[in-house]
Amino acid sequence: MNQKTDEETIRDWLSANEGRETLNKAAGRVRQKMSAAGIPLSALGLHAAAPVQTVIDEIRSELAVIILENRSEIRKKLMAAEADPARVLTGFMFRRLMDRARWSPRNDPFRYLYKMAADALREADGIHLSTKGSTGSLYSLEKESRPIGPLCEEDYTTIPLPADLPRISSLAEVTHKKTLVRLARWFWQEMSRLFQNRPIWIELRDLIQWIAVYIPLGRVETRLPDTHKDGTESDNLPAVEPDRNAPFDPEVVCRWAGCFSNLLNDKEAMAFYLYHGEERPLKDVAIRMGFKGPSGPAVHLGSVTEKLSAFAADLRWLSPDKETPPNRLAQRLFKETLTEILKKRFETP
């Protein structure tokens, strides 16, 4: 009898009760994580007012496609003895949704343009890319080049846009592949001229910063922005180098803390609050919770850590990604907000 292929094995699993139940469970988890992370339903191609069941059905359909597209990798994960199939699928789906939200001109125009430029230069003839930059990728028109390090704002303003380039006034106009490659070549040639025509590696981030000098991207600087009375941010220059204390949305972080608190049972919540909120030693936490020794609350603290790692894995500001480190202020606000929420849970009425 011939051995089944990965696709046949996965299709059999999807059609069985176990597969259907797992898809349903994963779809529900993904919907909850989307809500907690503030990912709009448009990431699924749905209207904001779409019914819950419609959302879950759409997620389940996409999950089935993801499983088949990544069948070899997913099969290995699903076949592992300790694997939680619903958690594996939730992770795959949520990362895909985070990518859709993250790489959109509305949510983060700087990163969106960075990704568009990276894709355009990767496919362009005569342009070389390297991953050895201090803040991301480097590019050059010569394979044998030397790095010059990150540039400063004064460097960007010394180089004008090409005189023969049609007028560009919006992000949409600059994201065309030919335009990005044209700008990348021009910027490299002008920077190389400043370095006595030596072949150089340029940070791809610097290319985006230079473009942002002339074309508004709608992203603020890394310093804390000025705000209007209604809480909206005033217009500032585009972002400079990523900063661990860069601006973040406090309201979103507080909402995440509230959502995460709902994932904790009473013992987990109590252990976290006493240990991290009141900063009691484990021995005292154990006594307060009625355990014979520190190992009791330690188990629940470990459970909180696992849940938090899964919850925050793809949340901007709380966890690092390839371009941006975690934000210390956002992490601190998340912890303080969570502590206050848990404190209220255990306060005597």
Side-chain angles (χ1 to χ4, degrees):
M1 183 176 179
N2 294 332
Q3 186 176 5
K4 289 186 176 181
T5 64
D6 287 336
E7 182 174 355
E8 291 172 334
T9 301
I10 290 295
R11 288 189 181 279
D12 288 347
W13 182 79
L14 286 172
S15 63
N17 287 336
E18 180 187 0
R20 290 196 295 269
E21 291 175 0
T22 300
L23 280 186
N24 286 333
K25 184 184 293 185
R29 291 182 180 179
V30 170
R31 189 188 73 82
Q32 291 177 344
K33 294 194 72 172
M34 286 181 67
S35 177
I39 298 178
L41 294 184
S42 59
L44 290 167
L46 297 176
H47 189 273
V52 172
Q53 191 57 50
T54 300
V55 176
I56 291 178
D57 290 344
E58 183 64 27
I59 294 173
R60 190 169 54 230
S61 297
E62 284 213 28
L63 277 170
V65 174
I66 290 174
I67 291 172
L68 292 172
E69 288 179 345
N70 302 275
R71 51 185 174 270
S72 296
E73 181 180 358
I74 289 182
R75 184 189 180 190
K76 292 178 183 178
K77 291 181 178 293
L78 293 178
M79 296 302 132
E82 70 282 1
D84 175 355
R87 184 173 183 176
V88 170
L89 298 182
T90 299
F92 265 85
M93 182 66 182
F94 191 67
R95 283 192 291 274
R96 174 171 291 196
L97 291 171
M98 284 297 294
D99 281 343
R100 290 179 190 171
R102 177 180 296 144
W103 305 119
S104 72
R106 181 178 64 83
N107 292 335
D108 196 333
F110 186 94
R111 289 192 185 190
Y112 175 75
L113 185 56
Y114 184 100
K115 183 178 186 298
M116 295 295 289
D119 291 343
L121 299 188
R122 191 176 294 113
E123 299 173 3
D125 293 333
I127 294 182
H128 307 275
L129 289 178
S130 170
T131 59
K132 296 181 180 180
S134 62
T135 62
S137 297
L138 303 166
Y139 83 96
S140 177
L141 303 192
E142 299 288 344
K143 192 171 184 179
E144 298 298 327
S145 300
R146 68 181 185 90
I148 59 174
L151 304 176
C152 61
E153 186 175 339
E154 289 76 11
D155 297 320
Y156 307 140
T157 57
T158 61
I159 300 177
L161 290 174
D164 59 344
L165 189 73
R167 185 175 181 275
I168 298 175
S169 58
S170 69
L171 178 63
E173 294 174 351
V174 79
T175 52
H176 294 294
K177 183 183 299 184
K178 289 184 178 180
T179 301
L180 286 171
V181 172
R182 172 78 173 91
L183 290 172
R185 291 183 183 279
W186 169 265
F187 185 62
W188 187 91
Q189 291 165 350
E190 292 298 298
M191 286 303 304
S192 175
R193 183 175 58 80
L194 294 177
F195 282 83
Q196 289 78 48
N197 293 317
R198 296 173 182 172
I200 55 176
W201 286 109
I202 294 178
E203 300 271 355
L204 182 55
R205 180 172 293 273
D206 283 325
L207 170 65
I208 308 305
Q209 298 284 17
W210 170 68
I211 293 175
V213 170
Y214 301 98
I215 302 165
L217 300 185
R219 182 177 173 181
V220 300
E221 290 180 283
T222 52
R223 68 171 184 265
L224 291 175
D226 296 325
T227 55
H228 301 298
K229 291 182 179 180
D230 61 358
T232 59
E233 294 174 356
S234 60
D235 294 331
N236 283 313
L237 294 174
V240 291
E241 294 300 327
D243 187 338
R244 290 179 183 271
N245 293 319
F248 61 93
D249 191 329
E251 183 178 347
V252 171
V253 173
C254 290
R255 186 171 72 244
W256 288 342
C259 292
F260 180 69
S261 71
N262 294 327
L263 302 178
L264 304 181
N265 60 41
D266 284 346
K267 288 187 176 180
E268 292 168 341
M270 177 66 80
F272 182 91
Y273 172 67
L274 294 176
Y275 186 70
H276 292 288
E278 296 190 355
E279 299 183 345
R280 295 171 179 258
L282 272 179
K283 183 178 180 180
D284 289 353
V285 175
I287 295 173
R288 178 74 178 274
M289 295 182 67
F291 290 106
K292 294 181 179 180
S295 60
V299 170
H300 296 295
L301 287 171
S303 178
V304 174
T305 300
E306 289 182 4
K307 288 184 177 182
L308 182 58
S309 296
F311 178 83
D314 298 292
L315 297 183
R316 185 183 178 194
W317 307 311
L318 298 186
S319 295
D321 59 28
K322 292 181 180 180
E323 299 301 328
T324 310
N327 186 296
R328 293 192 183 113
L329 293 178
Q331 290 177 328
R332 187 182 307 166
L333 176 62
F334 181 91
K335 178 182 176 182
E336 291 177 354
T337 304
L338 178 60
T339 299
E340 286 300 313
I341 292 173
L342 298 181
K343 179 181 179 180
K344 292 179 181 179
R345 183 192 293 192
F346 298 112
E347 283 181 343
T348 303

